[in-house]
Amino acid sequence: MQTSCFIDGKFVPARSGNTFAVRNPATDATIAQVADGNGTDARAAIEAASRAFPAWKNLAAIERAKPLRKLSELMLRDAERLADLCSQECGKPLAEARVEVAYAASFLEWYAEEGKRVYGETIPASDPGKRLFVLRQPSGVAAAITPWNFPIAMVTRKMGPALAAGCTQVVKPAEQTPLSALAIAELSVEAGFPTGVFNVVTGLDAPSIADTFFDGLTVRHVSFTGSTEVGRILLEKSAANVVRVSLELGGHAPFIVFDDADLDKAVVGAMASKFRNAGQTCVCANRFLVQRGVHDEFVKRLTTAVAALKVGDGRTPGTQVGPLVDDAGLRKAEAHVADAVAHGARATTGGARATVTGCTDRFMAPTVLTGVTPAMLCFREETFGPIAPVCAFDTETEALEIANGTPYGLAAYLFTADGARIMRMAEALQYGIVGVNDALPATAQAPFGGVKHSGLGREGGHQGIEEYLDLKYVSWRIS
Ligand code: SIN
């Protein structure tokens, strides 16, 4: 297991010599002591990436594709080891971690191909003596700040497009989950990336590392996945050197079920969207809006399915819901339940911590709340926990009003059989992603990202690579 920063093709301790403990949130067992890098280490990584940039960008895209594809293959080869590491670091069930490895590998494979399609443009000139064209060129060194909830996939979702475009990269993984990023770095050596193209700086001092990303002209793009609060700070920092940022921030997804929906499918979708990673995903359903005609039946079926979920250590076979990542996460989920119940909601299942023998007390029983109103905390803020608050509505207009009544706009879900309504709702929902009878829309081929306070820019799809490209307009007088 690698535990040092990965800079200029080598695993190196932090310059300070300091380390920090990475713990399994289910048991609090120390998994490893990891290099506690800071701005100085980030500076060294940026310099390495900057040295590597000219040769990497000048390679043909078809050549850059080779190590990208190889890395994807190596990740699939080592899927079991990576999944186990991921499960230990962030607590998610092993079965989900396996899916995450495949999802992560798909970004590398897909962008290995997409990098070959970075086409330019010719423009018909009004002056017959001129030829006008547009080049799309890699912008330079890219930095990435990745979250703990998908410790593998959020690295490759940023790495794939950056490296395929011809940028070099420095990644700062979340302090809770640095080991997965270091495992990717280790495989990147075997995949054959040239020295300095991909670097990882681990450390607790995220502000000093982030400051270094923004303190000069070398880093030209910073991609961040995390909270809206931190996203705002990074956006402010980016102003000084006019660094481009991609921000994938908080969500507050409505999950809307209409009377005509296939209820079996809606419940299966609700379970997948809400309880993946114990509700700790930006795109997870945070508010269930259910039309009155099917409300009681939906709640009944959802309650039965939720009550049957197996809570436990992610590495215990059969676990479906792991721990919250830390105590603050647990307290927030508890506070949302307490606030809802105090204001008249009722838990049809769950509603309290779950006890898991031999583990920490960081587990929340999967919960369904009914009688929730838009005034309650869980209907105003992202919970990031395994809590499903349900509220009844009568009309499409009312559902839309509640769904859009938030500053967030990442993902929304819609379950209905009515084609015209699907079109009306998909157009009117103020969200970057709309899942129609589909609770898991994210895929390497499609643009992922939000509107309003949920962020800027897109990851995935051909749009994802644009973030790493600068346009250059060339005007050539030939006569
Ligand atoms: C996230 O919610 O942070 C990412 C989820 C996904 O890619 O499916």
Side-chain angles (χ1 to χ4, degrees):
M1 183 193 301
Q2 289 298 344
T3 56
S4 300
C5 294
F6 181 64
I7 299 176
D8 212 9
K10 291 186 261 322
F11 286 94
V12 290
R15 307 276 150 134
S16 66
N18 293 341
T19 61
F20 65 99
V22 177
R23 294 206 162 81
N24 181 332
T27 61
D28 265 350
T30 299
I31 309 165
Q33 289 287 335
V34 170
D36 189 8
N38 58 26
T40 312
D41 304 277
R43 172 60 49 213
I46 292 167
E47 283 164 9
S50 180
R51 283 193 299 276
F53 177 60
W56 181 248
K57 84 166 175 183
N58 286 332
L59 271 185
I62 199 164
E63 295 301 324
R64 289 198 296 265
K66 288 178 186 165
L68 278 167
R69 190 175 307 103
K70 181 75 186 169
L71 180 56
S72 169
E73 289 164 6
L74 293 174
M75 287 177 66
L76 296 176
R77 180 197 72 187
D78 290 359
E80 206 50 37
R81 177 177 67 85
L82 293 172
D84 186 52
L85 195 56
C86 171
S87 172
Q88 283 188 66
E89 286 194 299
C90 77
K92 72 173 58 175
L94 208 42
E96 278 187 32
R98 290 188 185 111
V99 173
E100 180 176 345
V101 176
Y103 181 48
S106 75
F107 287 102
L108 301 171
E109 195 272 334
W110 198 80
Y111 279 107
E113 293 306 314
E114 192 60 16
K116 299 172 188 169
R117 290 184 273 275
V118 175
Y119 304 132
E121 195 181 338
T122 57
I123 302 168
S126 51
D127 179 339
K130 283 190 179 189
R131 296 295 178 270
L132 314 182
F133 50 97
V134 179
L135 306 177
R136 287 154 84 220
Q137 298 181 305
S139 55
V141 175
I145 304 173
T146 59
W148 50 262
N149 61 346
F150 288 87
I152 310 178
M154 295 304 103
V155 173
T156 58
R157 189 151 86 182
K158 298 176 193 305
M159 178 184 190
L163 271 51
C167 292
T168 53
Q169 194 171 45
V170 180
V171 174
K172 154 72 177 83
E175 58 265 28
Q176 296 93 334
T177 57
L179 295 165
S180 297
L182 292 173
I184 294 172
E186 187 174 21
L187 289 178
S188 78
V189 177
E190 192 180 343
F193 284 98
T195 297
V197 165
F198 180 69
N199 306 270
V200 178
V201 179
T202 53
L204 294 176
D205 192 353
S208 111
I209 295 172
D211 280 349
T212 313
F213 290 159
F214 289 107
D215 80 355
L217 288 171
T218 310
V219 174
R220 299 313 308 146
H221 180 273
V222 178
S223 174
F224 168 71
T225 297
S227 70
T228 298
E229 198 187 354
V230 174
R232 275 198 195 95
I233 297 171
L234 297 179
L235 198 51
E236 277 174 21
K237 288 185 194 299
S238 73
N241 285 302
V242 194
V243 175
R244 200 189 310 183
V245 287
S246 305
L247 303 172
E248 201 268 273
L249 308 177
H252 189 33
F255 189 106
I256 310 167
V257 182
F258 284 94
D259 282 347
D260 62 0
D262 178 327
L263 271 201
D264 287 332
K265 290 194 178 137
V267 171
V268 169
M271 298 298 291
S273 172
K274 179 69 253 186
F275 295 98
R276 187 167 66 126
N277 201 11
Q280 300 170 111
T281 73
C282 307
V283 287
C284 72
N286 210 53
R287 305 170 282 158
F288 288 87
L289 314 180
V290 184
Q291 202 160 17
R292 207 164 302 272
V294 291
H295 173 273
D296 293 354
E297 185 59 23
F298 178 83
V299 169
K300 189 171 121 203
R301 293 193 203 183
L302 185 67
T303 302
T304 305
V306 172
L309 285 172
K310 188 167 180 299
V311 179
D313 181 340
R315 294 169 87 208
T316 303
T319 292
Q320 292 166 297
V321 177
L324 277 299
V325 74
D326 53 24
D327 295 337
L330 178 76
R331 281 196 297 272
K332 184 171 189 193
E334 283 184 314
H336 279 203
V337 173
D339 172 81
V341 171
H343 290 92
R346 183 174 71 86
T348 60
T349 183
R353 291 186 193 191
T355 306
V356 178
T357 312
C359 285
T360 60
D361 63 355
R362 232 169 259 135
F363 294 81
M364 187 78 197
T367 299
V368 178
L369 295 170
T370 55
V372 172
T373 66
M376 296 174 187
L377 213 47
C378 61
F379 246 62
R380 297 201 310 272
E381 286 179 15
E382 188 176 33
T383 304
F384 240 58
I387 319 295
V390 187
C391 151
F393 71 88
D394 290 300
T395 64
E396 185 178 311
T397 310
E398 187 189 355
L400 202 53
E401 215 172 273
I402 300 173
N404 286 341
T406 166
Y408 296 99
L410 184 55
Y413 305 91
L414 171 67
F415 278 73
T416 176
D418 181 335
R421 172 185 284 146
I422 288 171
M423 208 57 228
R424 279 193 304 273
M425 292 291 288
E427 286 176 0
L429 283 163
Q430 295 164 1
Y431 288 83
I433 302 165
V434 178
V436 180
N437 299 326
D438 180 10
L440 297 171
T443 174
Q445 308 98 61
F448 183 105
V451 299
K452 303 196 306 196
H453 290 191
S454 289
L456 299 170
R458 291 295 180 269
E459 293 185 314
H462 71 85
Q463 295 87 351
I465 205 165
E466 299 298 336
E467 305 278 326
Y468 298 92
L469 296 168
D470 284 338
L471 294 184
K472 185 180 286 171
Y473 158 55
V474 179
S475 174
W476 185 0
R477 175 159 292 289
I478 58 166
S479 61

